[in-house]
Structure formats: structure tokens, C-alpha cells
């Protein structure tokens, strides 16, 4: 059960990362370039924005993925450790949108999603929400400040209408 907790923690950290940093500039491993080039060489037509579980888990898919994964034994730490992978990269980690995959498969797909701009939708939506919150706070601050200045202005005026110095 500890592996499931670790996989979920990994998923949460990764999602926070792509939500707060432009994914196009992320480096997930020391060998991202190698993983990406090998991945696209072997899976050039694989649609990565919305994954079809059959492309990852069917018998024929496993036969194709196995040699790819084994290339990274000794190169990527815990290359075959179980991780959670989002099927639709525009959505978060939910029960319906998550599949269990080896770590190297996660890296290959997520590095490609980052480089090809598919994960930008997560980053952009979070940034848009942050801007909305900031704008809402800014409007409230303007309103509060205007009310505060009004109060301050009245405090500095005595009963005769003169400004206290």
C-alpha cells in the first residue's frame, strides 16, 4: 500500500509543478532529451493529449513498450516503478482520468506533453484563475483604500472645516 501513497504523492507534486511553472521549460530528468527522442522515434503517431488506455495496456502495446522501457534500466532511477498517468492532459488526477503506468512511460509521455505544448492548458487555466483572484483582490483593495482615504480625509478636518497640521 506504500507504493500507492507514493504514486499519489508523486502525482500531486507533478500536477502542482505543471500548474505553477510553464511546462514547456520543465526538465523532469537528466536525460529528458534522450527519453523524448527515443519516445518519438518509437511512438511517433501516438496521440498524447488524450491517451487511449489500449495504446498502453493491450498485449500488442505492451510488446512495443517493453523494449522502450528496458532501454532506460540503469539510466532512469526506478524506471519501472508504478506511477499515475493522466489520460486527458487537460484534466487533473481523478479516478476516471488516471491509469497506472511504469515511471519511464510516465516520463516519456509527460516530457512529450510538455515539449509539444499539451500541458500548457493546465498552466494557463491556473494562471488565469490566479489573475482573476488578484483582480478581485485589487478591486476590493481599491474600494477599501478609497473608503479609508475618505475616512482619513475626514479625520484630518476639524469641526470648523480646517485641515489639522
Amino acid at each position: 500500500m506504500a507504493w500507492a501513497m507514493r504514486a499519489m504523492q508523486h502525482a500531486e507534486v507533478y500536477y502542482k509543478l505543471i500548474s505553477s511553472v510553464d511546462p514547456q521549460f520543465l526538465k523532469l530528468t537528466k536525460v529528458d532529451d534522450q527519453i523524448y527522442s527515443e519516445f518519438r522515434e518509437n511512438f511517433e503517431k501516438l496521440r498524447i493529449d488524450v491517451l487511449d488506455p489500449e495504446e498502453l495496456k493491450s498485449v500488442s502495446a505492451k510488446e512495443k513498450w517493453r523494449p522502450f522501457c528496458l532501454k532506460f534500466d540503469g539510466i532512469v532511477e526506478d524506471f519501472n516503478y508504478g506511477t499515475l498517468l493522466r489520460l486527458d492532459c487537460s484534466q487533473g488526477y481523478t479516478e476516471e482520468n488516471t491509469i497506472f503506468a511504469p515511471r519511464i512511460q510516465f516520463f516519456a509521455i509527460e516530457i512529450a506533453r510538455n515539449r509539444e505544448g499539451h500541458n500548457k492548458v493546465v498552466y494557463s487555466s491556473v494562471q488565469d484563475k490566479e489573475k482573476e483572484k488578484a483582480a478581485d483582490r485589487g478591486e476590493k483593495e481599491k474600494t477599501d483604500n478609497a473608503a479609508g482615504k475618505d475616512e482619513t480625509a475626514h479625520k484630518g478636518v476639524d469641526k470648523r472645516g480646517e485641515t489639522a497640521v
Side-chain angles (χ1 to χ4, degrees):
M1 198 56 133
W3 61 267
M5 294 288 288
R6 183 174 169 197
M8 191 60 210
Q9 286 172 337
H10 175 263
E12 288 171 354
V13 168
Y14 181 69
Y15 195 77
K16 284 179 186 173
L17 186 62
I18 63 172
S19 297
S20 59
V21 176
D22 187 341
Q24 190 174 334
F25 302 109
L26 283 178
K27 190 159 176 75
L28 301 181
T29 73
K30 293 177 183 176
V31 292
D32 279 13
D33 293 338
Q34 181 185 355
I35 293 170
Y36 180 71
S37 62
E38 293 275 348
F39 171 68
R40 278 306 185 199
E41 188 178 302
N42 288 281
F43 302 95
E44 65 184 66
K45 299 210 186 291
L46 181 66
R47 184 175 170 203
I48 58 172
D49 58 337
V50 180
L51 295 168
D52 176 357
E54 287 299 306
E55 295 283 339
L56 305 172
K57 299 294 182 184
S58 70
V59 174
S60 62
K62 285 181 180 181
E63 287 175 10
K64 192 167 184 183
W65 276 101
R66 189 172 294 112
F68 171 82
C69 294
L70 290 174
K71 285 181 187 176
F72 295 95
D73 185 6
I75 297 171
V76 173
E77 187 179 339
D78 297 331
F79 79 103
N80 63 346
Y81 196 86
T83 60
L84 299 176
L85 178 63
R86 294 170 300 136
L87 294 171
D88 181 343
C89 69
S90 69
Q91 298 177 28
Y93 286 93
T94 62
E95 190 174 335
E96 303 79 31
N97 193 46
T98 305
I99 192 168
F100 195 67
R103 190 169 191 222
I104 188 61
Q105 202 172 39
F106 166 87
F107 280 141
I109 291 167
E110 290 297 339
I111 289 167
R113 284 174 168 175
N114 292 342
R115 291 185 177 196
E116 296 172 18
H118 297 290
N119 276 336
K120 184 91 171 185
V121 70
V122 172
Y123 173 72
S124 296
S125 69
V126 169
Q127 296 309 305
D128 291 346
K129 286 177 187 171
E130 292 297 319
K131 286 178 187 171
E132 285 175 21
K133 285 180 188 175
D136 289 346
R137 282 192 305 269
E139 286 301 314
K140 184 177 181 335
E141 285 176 15
K142 283 181 186 174
T143 305
D144 290 349
N145 286 342
K149 283 180 186 172
D150 213 24
E151 273 181 34
T152 305
H154 290 301
K155 284 180 184 175
V157 177
D158 65 16
K159 290 181 181 172
R160 292 178 300 218
E162 296 175 353
T163 305
V165 182

